[in-house]
Amino acid sequence: MTASRKLLDSFILLAVVALVVGCGQAGESAEPGAAGDGATAATIPGLDVTEDELKYGIGPIRNVELGPLDDALAARGEALFKTKCMACHRMDDRYVGPALRGVTERRTPEFVMNMMLNPGEMVRRHPVARAMLAAHYTEMPAQNLTEEEARALLEYLRAQAAEGQANRGGTTENP
Amino acid sequence: MARKIPRPFVLGLVAGAVTAVFAYACRTTGPKGALDGDIASRVYVAPGEYDEFYAFLSGGFSGQVTVYGLPSGRLLKVVPVFSQHAENGWGYSEETKPMLETSFGFVPWDDAHHPQLSKTNGVPDGRWLFINANNTPRVARISLETFETEEIIEIPQSAGNHASPFVTPNSEYVVASTRFSVPVPQRDISIADYKAAFKGTISFIRANAPGEMDIAFQLVVPGYNYDLAHAGKGPSYGWAFFTTYNTEQANTLLEINASQRDKDFVAAVNWRRAEECVAQGRGRDVPVTYAHNYMDETRVARSERKQGVRVLEPADCEGMIYYLPTPKSPHGVDVDPSGEYIVAGGKLATVIPVHSFSKMLAAIEAKDFEGEADGIPVLRYDAVLAGEVQNPGLGPLHTEFDGRGYAYTSAFISSEIVKWKLGTWEVVDRIPTYYSIGHLMIPGGDSEKPWGKYVIALNKITKDRYLPTGPELVHAAQLIDISGERMKLLLDFPTLGEPHYAQALPADLIKDKVVRIYDIQGNRNPYATLSEADARVERRGGTVHVYMTAIRSHFAPDIIEGIRVGDTVKFHVTNLEQDWDVPHGFAAMGVQNAELLIMPGETKTLTWVPKQPGVYPFYCTDFCSALHQEMQGYVRVSPAGANVVLTSNGAGQSRVLASGGGR
């Protein structure tokens, strides 16, 4: 297992811990060191997000209806990804930011879009985003996306997740 | 749009500031002026709040424009125009160098005097700011969406472009004219032939379509010095007025020789009449070459050479120009908001002469001329005079208006602003300035609807107003309240360069349309790198193009090898950010050039010709993020003829160390 793979796992574990802690037992401390070298949500003082915000992220997106994969929309998303995202994100490796394959399975679509549209507030308030900042150091910049563009990017990430599954014969290591 | 600040906090600050001013006033006497207790609150803009007005001050010998907030006097921006600006690479980057091209070649400096806001229906509309270059005659247009210079046109057959770039009421034209008459056409002749061969020109430049600035027509006029101008408005819409001095036509020691006559002229130009004559094919086309530089939506400036200009002599177009005798060596010429009164700053006169536009028309109708000057009818002084302001201070220069029936004239020698009433010509107030005021400016004070709340004194001499800083001192501006019966000094603030004229307008006309980023997907720079996947190096003969991206907090590529001494390296850096206020800078050791400052979504190019082998670090110069100090890279330069392969670690390659981030 490569170092970046290990880091990714740490990160995922951390995120899961954060979600669990955030949803049910805010204020209670998690196991120290449980998330490896990252921060944990429970150690963040003044956590003031709602349960909905924990699940869906903080931002303008409240509800996303997902249909069957829309290839045209995903293609638009891919073009946007190349200009606005890939300077920091790759699919399978940690780069400046976390690897993104399967992110649409780990997070709600609303969370993913709010992270794109409102990264500044997300990394300041949302325990998962704060943990990601702690693990990746560089604050995710706002890239002036419209909601439609964020939706296209979401579709591209969905397509990438599906591609990853196909490549691995229908299984994925991502939770 | 004031934001809420906790009231006790504001009151505390205000109280503190007021106390400070009281304390200061109590130990200050004489020329510092007596200050009232509420003055601090009049200019205090609380942290996080906005000023009420944008003010645009010319930089004079800096060649630039500065933007201030009023009433605070806070410097908000330097807009580079006619001078190279190493701070952001203006005139150094490949994208901006063409903006400083002229028919003389690349000119890296000029002397910028008179900002003029574009107008619609005689009122500033917040679209553009125009400004003149006095030395190598040019006029620039600055966008008030980007606060960048977008267009510069050179003025052919001109020198000392001082009476410029005053705009007509709907920005149909900006004007330009010769302070220094020159041989027309330019040629190698004896300066002793001044009276016979030297001419003045007055140019009308089309100004209301971006990218299409052009010399519409040019008047060839007697070889006097044409000093300042303002366009007519209301009833005088269609006319423009220019002061002249040196009607003596001296070409040496003008200080004495151009101060002989008791009266010089205000030239009244009927530009609608000139348009008619041009439309009728009158005049002639003169083969001259001049530069037109324009930054279009590619944000890459290009410089073209325009050929030929339509020239009208007074004899070509009767009724186009008249001279109004005006005492004495007049400087400014200012038209009141009604458009009826034409006020001349009779620099060496003991009065301020005010001409009447309606009387001028009647005198023209009646041919009430006292003579001719080189074919231009000279109207009789008494026939056009509306009145004279008596005892106006020594050395009256410029006049602005408050829209409530009062005029404010700067008096250089007696160092004061004199307030007087239009129509009765009586002086009603005066206030000293520190020291030796040149121009003065009321927001919209040369328009049809002034926002007559403040006047700014733009002083030429500073002396003891600030802590001393060696022989060279900043020029001092002073903010004066004109909302009441008596003028009241509120604030001194330092300026950059030498502000001559200035303009101001309410912030609400501009602030909500100001551009925050350039759309990366709309980037049309031919050397843009719109995805880190396309970051790369390419050799084309002796030139190496580096297609580089920048985003918090790395460059791609950040390792470049295979450059050889003798190569020309072009760093094309695209800022992939799409967030407001996240420029990235780019500089490399030993580069004989400025830095680049690249706005979000924009591409800028720096050219470097390395002279010595070695490894050269480059880095981001504008603090951008928590990992700004990590935003760096290396370029390796090998000797000429070396066979190091040109490579870079562009996109698609993992640049993360095997140890990753884990430890």
Side-chain angles (χ1 to χ4, degrees):
Chain A
M1 187 182 263
T2 65
S4 61
R5 185 73 238 173
K6 202 185 294 174
L7 191 100
L8 180 69
D9 286 352
S10 306
F11 165 70
I12 291 162
L13 175 62
L14 172 101
V16 171
V17 168
L19 265 175
V20 168
V21 168
C23 289
Q25 313 151 39
E28 225 178 274
S29 65
E31 285 293 311
D37 58 350
T40 66
T43 63
I44 297 164
L47 188 65
D48 64 341
V49 287
T50 65
E51 288 191 12
D52 270 4
E53 284 175 333
L54 267 178
K55 187 171 176 191
Y56 299 118
I58 304 163
I61 304 301
R62 295 272 173 268
N63 183 36
V64 179
E65 299 290 347
L66 294 180
L69 202 59
D70 178 340
D71 289 338
L73 188 60
R76 273 193 52 214
E78 181 175 13
L80 281 163
F81 188 87
K82 282 184 175 162
T83 294
K84 297 202 169 189
C85 314
M86 77 153 289
C88 296
H89 290 287
R90 302 291 149 84
M91 282 302 141
D92 298 307
D93 296 307
R94 172 205 164 106
Y95 192 41
V96 176
L100 290 178
R101 192 175 314 277
V103 67
T104 50
E105 292 159 4
R106 301 193 294 276
R107 314 257 183 257
T108 63
E110 295 84 0
F111 181 105
V112 173
M113 286 177 65
N114 282 328
M115 189 70 212
M116 295 176 198
L117 292 165
N118 192 30
E121 190 177 6
M122 284 287 284
V123 300
R124 276 166 191 78
R125 276 188 56 210
H126 197 287
V128 171
R130 285 185 70 143
M132 283 194 279
L133 175 61
H136 294 81
Y137 323 122
T138 293
E139 180 181 339
M140 176 159 151
Q143 282 292 69
N144 196 38
L145 296 164
T146 63
E147 291 184 16
E148 291 69 28
E149 287 171 332
R151 180 65 187 83
L153 282 163
L154 176 75
E155 203 67 3
Y156 172 65
L157 294 173
R158 285 180 73 204
Q160 288 296 303
E163 203 171 289
Q165 279 187 343
N167 291 344
R168 294 187 186 92
T171 64
T172 175
E173 293 170 47
N174 293 337
Chain B
M1 294 286 286
R3 291 183 213 149
K4 282 284 175 216
I5 303 287
R7 197 157 181 79
F9 175 68
V10 173
L11 289 175
L13 276 176
V14 170
V18 168
T19 307
V21 167
F22 261 121
Y24 184 68
C26 290
R27 63 175 171 78
T28 305
T29 55
K32 307 286 191 209
L35 298 181
D36 290 347
D38 66 343
I39 281 174
S41 64
R42 296 291 316 276
V43 301
Y44 180 71
V45 178
E49 296 207 357
Y50 291 148
D51 278 291
E52 183 181 356
F53 293 96
Y54 281 104
F56 301 92
L57 276 58
S58 69
F61 44 68
S62 86
Q64 322 295 40
V65 164
T66 50
V67 186
Y68 287 82
L70 298 180
S72 72
R74 296 181 296 188
L75 174 64
L76 304 178
K77 173 126 180 151
V78 176
V79 180
V81 187
F82 295 117
S83 295
Q84 283 182 298
H85 194 59
E87 181 180 323
N88 71 352
W90 174 260
Y92 293 94
S93 67
E94 295 304 313
E95 285 75 10
T96 57
K97 275 156 69 176
M99 293 299 283
L100 302 183
E101 285 292 332
T102 73
S103 63
F104 303 94
F106 184 81
V107 174
W109 169 90
D110 217 301
D111 180 16
H113 277 238
H114 307 123
Q116 276 277 288
L117 289 163
S118 59
K119 292 188 176 85
T120 299
N121 297 323
V123 178
D125 56 21
R127 286 186 294 167
W128 309 306
L129 186 79
F130 299 99
I131 189 160
N132 62 318
N134 188 66
N135 184 50
T136 301
R138 285 167 287 171
V139 169
R141 182 178 57 78
I142 297 162
S143 161
L144 296 183
E145 291 184 359
T146 62
F147 285 61
E148 286 192 17
T149 306
E150 286 186 343
E151 191 167 9
I152 294 178
I153 190 164
E154 186 180 1
I155 318 300
Q157 309 205 99
S158 183
N161 179 39
H162 196 267
S164 180
F166 299 91
V167 308
T168 56
N170 286 302
S171 305
E172 296 96 336
Y173 299 108
V174 300
V175 301
S177 55
T178 42
R179 179 171 142 211
F180 309 129
S181 288
V182 283
V184 174
Q186 266 287 8
R187 58 199 185 277
D188 170 28
I189 59 169
S190 170
I191 294 159
D193 293 339
Y194 185 101
K195 283 192 183 177
F198 285 43
K199 294 289 181 186
T201 60
I202 294 175
S203 303
F204 285 78
I205 304 160
R206 284 189 202 93
N208 56 5
E212 296 173 21
M213 286 178 84
D214 196 12
I215 314 289
F217 49 87
Q218 190 174 63
L219 281 53
V220 174
V221 287
Y224 311 150
N225 290 33
Y226 294 80
D227 205 9
L228 280 156
H230 262 105
K233 57 185 78 137
S236 53
Y237 185 20
W239 291 74
F241 305 94
F242 301 81
T243 44
T244 72
Y245 64 106
N246 192 25
T247 55
E248 297 87 348
Q249 294 187 273
N251 58 52
T252 179
L253 198 61
L254 268 63
E255 185 176 23
I256 296 169
N257 296 329
S259 304
Q260 304 292 313
R261 293 189 172 173
D262 286 339
K263 291 189 180 68
D264 297 276
F265 301 126
V266 165
V269 174
N270 184 338
W271 54 260
R272 284 213 175 114
R273 174 69 188 138
E275 283 177 335
E276 283 172 13
C277 291
V278 170
Q280 291 163 5
R282 301 207 213 174
R284 66 202 152 87
D285 288 322
V286 173
V288 288
T289 300
Y290 52 104
H292 174 235
N293 311 326
Y294 177 47
M295 183 159 320
D296 64 12
E297 68 284 350
T298 65
R299 301 191 46 68
V300 180
R302 57 172 192 272
S303 181
E304 59 174 349
R305 293 291 172 279
K306 287 181 175 282
Q307 304 291 336
V309 65
R310 172 59 62 96
V311 162
L312 291 168
E313 309 260 358
D316 294 331
C317 185
E318 69 288 349
M320 174 178 71
I321 180 168
Y322 299 89
Y323 279 147
L324 283 58
T326 303
K328 174 184 181 176
S329 297
H331 191 54
V333 57
D334 301 286
V335 182
D336 86 306
S338 78
E340 164 64 9
Y341 297 123
I342 302 143
V343 181
K347 189 170 66 191
L348 306 182
T350 55
V351 298
I352 299 171
V354 182
H355 298 302
S356 156
F357 180 72
S358 55
K359 287 177 81 171
M360 183 193 89
L361 286 187
I364 291 169
E365 183 74 17
K367 298 197 184 316
D368 195 352
F369 306 141
E370 66 173 40
E372 267 191 10
D374 285 9
I376 297 173
V378 178
L379 296 161
R380 215 165 42 78
Y381 181 62
D382 289 334
V384 296
L385 190 72
E388 292 176 336
V389 180
Q390 302 293 328
N391 191 22
L394 302 174
L397 293 184
H398 303 280
T399 301
E400 295 264 297
F401 306 92
D402 67 6
R404 297 184 296 271
Y406 293 97
Y408 301 73
T409 299
S410 58
F412 175 80
I413 297 171
S414 56
S415 198
E416 62 184 328
I417 294 175
V418 179
K419 177 181 177 181
W420 50 274
K421 193 165 173 51
L422 286 158
T424 69
W425 325 119
E426 59 183 326
V427 173
V428 297
D429 193 21
R430 51 179 78 226
I431 188 169
T433 57
Y434 308 101
Y435 302 94
S436 302
I437 182 173
H439 279 269
L440 75 177
M441 183 275 289
I442 293 171
D446 66 344
S447 77
E448 292 186 28
K449 288 181 184 155
W451 294 276
K453 192 168 179 180
Y454 305 109
V455 64
I456 301 267
L458 297 155
N459 300 315
K460 299 300 184 189
I461 308 292
T462 304
K463 298 285 193 195
D464 57 0
R465 295 302 285 185
Y466 305 114
L467 287 171
T469 55
E472 191 191 9
L473 305 171
V474 292
H475 283 238
Q478 294 185 295
L479 182 76
I480 293 164
D481 175 14
I482 56 167
S483 61
E485 208 170 299
R486 303 295 306 274
M487 291 180 278
K488 189 185 287 184
L489 177 62
L490 300 179
L491 181 73
D492 279 17
F493 62 95
T495 61
L496 298 184
E498 181 188 355
H500 291 264
Y501 198 24
Q503 298 267 275
L505 80 177
D508 287 342
L509 288 178
I510 297 180
K511 69 176 170 57
D512 294 330
K513 62 171 192 173
V514 171
V515 166
R516 297 181 172 204
I517 60 165
Y518 298 105
D519 179 9
I520 184 73
Q521 291 157 293
N523 184 323
R524 298 285 174 266
N525 186 310
Y527 294 100
T529 308
L530 299 185
S531 169
E532 194 172 297
D534 300 324
R536 64 195 185 279
V537 288
E538 284 179 10
R539 173 179 290 282
R540 282 173 229 156
T543 301
V544 175
H545 294 269
V546 181
Y547 293 83
M548 184 179 283
T549 59
I551 194 164
R552 281 165 284 180
S553 308
H554 63 281
F555 293 105
D558 63 4
I559 290 184
I560 299 160
E561 300 201 357
I563 286 166
R564 301 187 290 249
V565 169
D567 285 342
T568 296
V569 183
K570 291 186 180 291
F571 295 100
H572 309 288
V573 186
T574 299
N575 182 349
L576 293 175
E577 305 278 356
Q578 291 290 274
D579 198 1
W580 193 22
D581 197 19
V582 193
H584 289 292
F586 178 86
M589 183 175 79
V591 172
Q592 293 175 286
N593 207 333
E595 67 157 351
L596 296 174
L597 211 55
I598 312 129
M599 296 303 124
E602 164 180 86
T603 302
K604 284 279 200 285
T605 300
L606 191 74
T607 299
W608 176 39
V609 183
K611 296 195 172 118
Q612 299 167 41
V615 174
Y616 294 77
F618 59 85
Y619 71 106
C620 174
T621 55
D622 187 338
F623 199 101
C624 58
S625 71
L627 295 171
H628 164 75
Q629 290 297 84
E630 281 72 10
M631 194 164 175
Q632 64 168 59
Y634 289 104
V635 189
R636 174 183 170 190
V637 176
S638 303
N643 56 4
V644 178
V645 178
L646 184 68
T647 56
S648 72
N649 61 346
Q653 305 163 31
S654 175
R655 297 194 282 150
V656 180
L657 294 178
S659 58
R663 204 177 307 179

